[in-house]
Amino acid sequence: TALESEGVEVEIGARYCKNCKVETFENKCPCCGARTVTFHICNKCNLSFLQERCPRCHSQGVSFKRQKIDIGAIYHRALDKLGAGKTEKLKGVQGLVSKDRTPEPLEKGILRAKYDVFVYKDGTIRYDLTNLPLTHFRPREVGLTVQEVIQLGYEVDVDGAPIRSDEQLIELRPQDIIISEEAGDYLLRVSKFVDELLSKYYGCDPYYSAEKREELIGKLVIGLAPHT
């Protein structure tokens, strides 16, 4: 509905381009591409200023205001930048609650929808799984070849013998984790999201370039266990 409307009014960050002297909510000026700066508004004096406190009454200013945003134009501009087609599963929030009401680039939401990954409220993409204590493994049981185990830095089994068989019992190093195939598929989609974001939005080289989950073996992940 928002895409089809002539614009929606939202509370969103108040920013200013010093070059073009225009107000915007974007981090980069839509006219010249320069980095914009946050300005503040005093609701008592109805003044705008770059410092945080009002020069007249010295009260704390707010760094956002109600603005009419043409979501449709922003959406199509993002599609053009990504070279992507229309996505059917794009979702947004009804309002921003951060201090400066700073929105993220719509390109991120489009790419999340494309690769079917989900975002947590702090902006991270996560995969939830049950953390089971695991101290040892056999390569065959976790889908690894002897060569792959050696490439990961394992040299000997629990008895100190060189690793030559996928049936040998090996002590799992504390920095290593073993995940399910489903989690591997999800992380593969996350890697594709990251790569396309890097290349098409930030203009950088892709990092993973993985086409199958096995290509992510040995990559770094962050494990969170806040409930333990």
Side-chain angles (χ1 to χ4, degrees):
T1 303
L3 290 177
E4 295 168 357
S5 68
E6 295 182 356
V8 293
E9 278 203 359
V10 292
E11 276 192 348
I12 201 164
R15 301 184 69 85
Y16 179 75
C17 176
K18 293 181 178 179
N19 295 335
C20 303
K21 313 300 182 187
V22 297
E23 294 182 10
T24 180
F25 65 91
E26 299 184 64
N27 288 321
K28 287 187 177 181
C29 175
C31 301
C32 71
R35 176 70 66 176
T36 58
V37 296
T38 299
F39 71 89
H40 296 79
I41 302 153
C42 178
N43 292 324
K44 295 179 181 178
C45 304
N46 199 27
L47 290 178
S48 300
F49 39 90
L50 292 179
Q51 64 269 32
E52 291 190 3
R53 292 193 174 274
C54 176
R56 181 180 295 173
C57 71
H58 305 293
S59 61
Q60 180 71 44
V62 296
S63 53
F64 58 87
K65 67 176 185 175
R66 292 198 69 82
Q67 301 182 54
K68 191 172 184 179
I69 304 299
D70 188 345
I71 296 291
I74 297 170
Y75 173 67
H76 291 293
R77 187 179 70 191
L79 289 180
D80 289 342
K81 186 168 186 175
L82 296 174
K86 182 181 178 182
T87 177
E88 298 294 333
K89 296 199 300 180
L90 188 64
K91 295 181 179 180
V93 293
Q94 290 185 345
L96 300 170
V97 294
S98 58
K99 177 186 174 184
D100 294 331
R101 307 292 197 273
T102 303
E104 69 173 6
L106 199 57
E107 286 86 346
K108 288 188 177 183
I110 293 171
L111 290 178
R112 287 193 197 102
K114 177 179 178 179
Y115 290 107
D116 197 25
V117 296
F118 307 99
V119 63
Y120 193 62
K121 61 186 177 182
D122 63 356
T124 57
I125 291 173
R126 302 183 181 188
Y127 184 87
D128 282 342
L129 44 76
T130 301
N131 187 20
L132 297 175
L134 186 65
T135 59
H136 297 73
F137 71 99
R138 287 185 171 87
R140 179 187 57 78
E141 294 176 330
V142 298
L144 290 177
T145 66
V146 171
Q147 184 179 4
E148 287 170 333
V149 171
I150 294 173
Q151 286 175 344
L152 289 172
Y154 292 91
E155 297 177 349
V156 296
D157 65 10
V158 291
D159 297 318
I163 300 173
R164 294 194 174 93
S165 167
D166 61 5
E167 290 290 347
Q168 286 174 270
L169 190 64
I170 304 169
E171 183 179 358
L172 184 68
R173 290 178 174 172
Q175 76 271 18
D176 287 344
I177 61 170
I178 296 171
I179 60 175
S180 67
E181 292 180 351
E182 183 186 84
D185 291 336
Y186 187 79
L187 292 182
L188 178 62
R189 299 205 304 273
V190 173
S191 75
K192 290 178 178 292
F193 161 80
V194 170
D195 279 350
E196 194 161 346
L197 187 66
L198 283 172
S199 60
K200 293 187 176 180
Y201 184 77
Y202 291 108
C204 301
D205 294 330
Y207 180 79
Y208 296 101
S209 301
E211 293 299 327
K212 52 185 180 179
R213 61 174 180 244
E214 287 78 10
E215 294 175 42
L216 296 179
I217 292 173
K219 298 295 185 184
L220 291 174
V221 296
I222 296 175
L224 300 175
H227 302 297
T228 57

Short mmCIF file of all heavy atoms in Angstrom, two decimals, residues 142-144 148 179-189 191-192 210-219:
data_model
loop_
_atom_site.label_atom_id
_atom_site.label_comp_id
_atom_site.label_asym_id
_atom_site.label_seq_id
_atom_site.Cartn_x
_atom_site.Cartn_y
_atom_site.Cartn_z
N VAL A 142 30.14 -36.34 10.35
CA VAL A 142 29.82 -34.92 10.14
C VAL A 142 30.01 -34.50 8.68
O VAL A 142 30.04 -33.31 8.37
CB VAL A 142 30.66 -34.02 11.07
CG1 VAL A 142 30.34 -34.32 12.53
CG2 VAL A 142 32.16 -34.18 10.81
N GLY A 143 30.18 -35.48 7.80
CA GLY A 143 30.23 -35.18 6.38
C GLY A 143 31.54 -34.62 5.89
O GLY A 143 31.57 -33.90 4.89
N LEU A 144 32.64 -34.91 6.59
CA LEU A 144 33.95 -34.41 6.18
C LEU A 144 34.83 -35.54 5.65
O LEU A 144 34.76 -36.67 6.13
CB LEU A 144 34.67 -33.74 7.35
CG LEU A 144 34.13 -32.41 7.87
CD1 LEU A 144 34.94 -31.94 9.07
CD2 LEU A 144 34.15 -31.36 6.77
N GLU A 148 39.67 -32.76 4.12
CA GLU A 148 39.05 -31.56 4.66
C GLU A 148 39.38 -31.38 6.14
O GLU A 148 39.62 -30.25 6.60
CB GLU A 148 37.53 -31.62 4.46
CG GLU A 148 37.11 -31.40 3.01
CD GLU A 148 35.63 -31.69 2.79
OE1 GLU A 148 35.05 -32.51 3.55
OE2 GLU A 148 35.05 -31.13 1.86
N ILE A 179 27.43 -27.82 12.71
CA ILE A 179 26.04 -27.38 12.56
C ILE A 179 25.26 -28.33 11.67
O ILE A 179 25.83 -29.18 10.98
CB ILE A 179 25.98 -25.95 11.97
CG1 ILE A 179 26.63 -25.90 10.60
CG2 ILE A 179 26.64 -24.96 12.92
CD1 ILE A 179 26.51 -24.55 9.91
N SER A 180 23.96 -28.17 11.69
CA SER A 180 23.09 -29.03 10.88
C SER A 180 23.17 -28.63 9.41
O SER A 180 23.61 -27.53 9.06
CB SER A 180 21.64 -28.91 11.36
OG SER A 180 21.15 -27.61 11.09
N GLU A 181 22.73 -29.52 8.53
CA GLU A 181 22.71 -29.21 7.09
C GLU A 181 21.77 -28.03 6.81
O GLU A 181 22.05 -27.20 5.96
CB GLU A 181 22.28 -30.44 6.30
CG GLU A 181 23.30 -31.57 6.34
CD GLU A 181 22.87 -32.78 5.54
OE1 GLU A 181 21.70 -32.80 5.10
OE2 GLU A 181 23.69 -33.70 5.33
N GLU A 182 20.66 -27.98 7.55
CA GLU A 182 19.71 -26.87 7.36
C GLU A 182 20.36 -25.54 7.73
O GLU A 182 20.18 -24.54 7.02
CB GLU A 182 18.46 -27.10 8.21
CG GLU A 182 17.40 -26.03 8.01
CD GLU A 182 16.22 -26.20 8.95
OE1 GLU A 182 16.32 -25.72 10.10
OE2 GLU A 182 15.22 -26.80 8.55
N ALA A 183 21.12 -25.53 8.82
CA ALA A 183 21.83 -24.31 9.20
C ALA A 183 22.86 -23.94 8.15
O ALA A 183 23.06 -22.76 7.84
CB ALA A 183 22.50 -24.49 10.56
N GLY A 184 23.50 -24.94 7.56
CA GLY A 184 24.47 -24.69 6.50
C GLY A 184 23.80 -24.05 5.28
O GLY A 184 24.35 -23.13 4.67
N ASP A 185 22.60 -24.54 4.94
CA ASP A 185 21.86 -23.96 3.82
C ASP A 185 21.50 -22.50 4.10
O ASP A 185 21.55 -21.65 3.21
CB ASP A 185 20.59 -24.77 3.54
CG ASP A 185 20.91 -26.15 2.97
OD1 ASP A 185 22.00 -26.30 2.37
OD2 ASP A 185 20.08 -27.06 3.13
N TYR A 186 21.11 -22.23 5.35
CA TYR A 186 20.73 -20.86 5.71
C TYR A 186 21.95 -19.94 5.65
O TYR A 186 21.88 -18.83 5.10
CB TYR A 186 20.12 -20.84 7.11
CG TYR A 186 19.55 -19.48 7.49
CD1 TYR A 186 18.31 -19.07 7.00
CD2 TYR A 186 20.26 -18.61 8.30
CE1 TYR A 186 17.79 -17.83 7.33
CE2 TYR A 186 19.75 -17.37 8.64
CZ TYR A 186 18.51 -16.99 8.16
OH TYR A 186 17.99 -15.75 8.47
N LEU A 187 23.09 -20.40 6.19
CA LEU A 187 24.30 -19.58 6.15
C LEU A 187 24.78 -19.36 4.72
O LEU A 187 25.38 -18.32 4.42
CB LEU A 187 25.40 -20.21 7.00
CG LEU A 187 25.15 -20.23 8.51
CD1 LEU A 187 26.33 -20.85 9.24
CD2 LEU A 187 24.87 -18.84 9.04
N LEU A 188 24.51 -20.31 3.83
CA LEU A 188 24.85 -20.11 2.42
C LEU A 188 24.03 -18.95 1.84
O LEU A 188 24.57 -18.10 1.12
CB LEU A 188 24.58 -21.40 1.63
CG LEU A 188 24.85 -21.32 0.12
CD1 LEU A 188 26.32 -21.02 -0.15
CD2 LEU A 188 24.44 -22.62 -0.56
N ARG A 189 22.74 -18.90 2.21
CA ARG A 189 21.90 -17.78 1.74
C ARG A 189 22.38 -16.46 2.34
O ARG A 189 22.38 -15.42 1.68
CB ARG A 189 20.43 -18.03 2.09
CG ARG A 189 19.85 -19.28 1.47
CD ARG A 189 18.34 -19.21 1.32
NE ARG A 189 17.63 -18.94 2.55
CZ ARG A 189 17.23 -19.87 3.41
NH1 ARG A 189 17.50 -21.15 3.18
NH2 ARG A 189 16.56 -19.54 4.49
N SER A 191 25.47 -15.78 3.13
CA SER A 191 26.70 -15.41 2.43
C SER A 191 26.39 -14.77 1.08
O SER A 191 27.07 -13.82 0.66
CB SER A 191 27.59 -16.64 2.24
OG SER A 191 27.11 -17.50 1.21
N LYS A 192 25.35 -15.25 0.40
CA LYS A 192 24.96 -14.65 -0.87
C LYS A 192 24.40 -13.24 -0.66
O LYS A 192 24.64 -12.33 -1.45
CB LYS A 192 23.93 -15.55 -1.58
CG LYS A 192 24.51 -16.86 -2.10
CD LYS A 192 23.43 -17.71 -2.74
CE LYS A 192 24.00 -19.01 -3.31
NZ LYS A 192 24.89 -18.76 -4.47
N ALA A 210 30.42 -18.28 -2.51
CA ALA A 210 30.10 -19.70 -2.30
C ALA A 210 28.85 -20.08 -3.08
O ALA A 210 27.87 -19.34 -3.11
CB ALA A 210 29.91 -19.99 -0.82
N GLU A 211 28.89 -21.24 -3.71
CA GLU A 211 27.74 -21.76 -4.44
C GLU A 211 27.11 -22.96 -3.76
O GLU A 211 26.00 -23.35 -4.08
CB GLU A 211 28.15 -22.12 -5.87
CG GLU A 211 28.56 -20.93 -6.72
CD GLU A 211 27.43 -19.91 -6.88
OE1 GLU A 211 26.26 -20.33 -6.92
OE2 GLU A 211 27.73 -18.70 -6.95
N LYS A 212 27.82 -23.56 -2.82
CA LYS A 212 27.27 -24.68 -2.05
C LYS A 212 27.78 -24.59 -0.63
O LYS A 212 28.83 -23.98 -0.36
CB LYS A 212 27.64 -26.02 -2.68
CG LYS A 212 29.12 -26.21 -2.95
CD LYS A 212 29.37 -27.52 -3.68
CE LYS A 212 30.87 -27.72 -3.94
NZ LYS A 212 31.13 -29.00 -4.65
N ARG A 213 27.05 -25.20 0.29
CA ARG A 213 27.35 -25.01 1.71
C ARG A 213 28.73 -25.56 2.09
O ARG A 213 29.36 -25.06 3.01
CB ARG A 213 26.26 -25.64 2.58
CG ARG A 213 26.08 -27.12 2.42
CD ARG A 213 25.07 -27.66 3.43
NE ARG A 213 24.91 -29.09 3.27
CZ ARG A 213 23.77 -29.68 2.90
NH1 ARG A 213 22.70 -28.96 2.68
NH2 ARG A 213 23.70 -30.99 2.78
N GLU A 214 29.22 -26.57 1.37
CA GLU A 214 30.53 -27.14 1.70
C GLU A 214 31.65 -26.10 1.54
O GLU A 214 32.70 -26.22 2.17
CB GLU A 214 30.81 -28.35 0.81
CG GLU A 214 30.00 -29.60 1.15
CD GLU A 214 28.57 -29.54 0.62
OE1 GLU A 214 28.26 -28.61 -0.17
OE2 GLU A 214 27.77 -30.41 1.00
N GLU A 215 31.41 -25.10 0.71
CA GLU A 215 32.43 -24.06 0.50
C GLU A 215 32.54 -23.12 1.70
O GLU A 215 33.46 -22.29 1.75
CB GLU A 215 32.12 -23.28 -0.77
CG GLU A 215 32.22 -24.12 -2.04
CD GLU A 215 31.80 -23.34 -3.27
OE1 GLU A 215 32.16 -22.17 -3.39
OE2 GLU A 215 31.09 -23.92 -4.11
N LEU A 216 31.64 -23.24 2.66
CA LEU A 216 31.70 -22.40 3.86
C LEU A 216 32.38 -23.11 5.03
O LEU A 216 32.52 -22.54 6.10
CB LEU A 216 30.28 -21.98 4.28
CG LEU A 216 29.51 -21.10 3.30
CD1 LEU A 216 28.13 -20.78 3.84
CD2 LEU A 216 30.28 -19.80 3.02
N ILE A 217 32.83 -24.35 4.81
CA ILE A 217 33.52 -25.08 5.88
C ILE A 217 34.79 -24.32 6.26
O ILE A 217 35.59 -23.93 5.42
CB ILE A 217 33.89 -26.51 5.42
CG1 ILE A 217 32.61 -27.34 5.24
CG2 ILE A 217 34.82 -27.19 6.43
CD1 ILE A 217 32.86 -28.71 4.63
N GLY A 218 34.97 -24.08 7.55
CA GLY A 218 36.15 -23.38 8.03
C GLY A 218 36.00 -21.88 8.11
O GLY A 218 36.92 -21.19 8.57
N LYS A 219 34.84 -21.32 7.67
CA LYS A 219 34.63 -19.87 7.75
C LYS A 219 34.28 -19.48 9.18
O LYS A 219 33.82 -20.29 9.98
CB LYS A 219 33.50 -19.44 6.80
CG LYS A 219 33.79 -19.70 5.34
CD LYS A 219 34.95 -18.90 4.82
CE LYS A 219 35.15 -19.09 3.32
NZ LYS A 219 36.34 -18.39 2.81
#
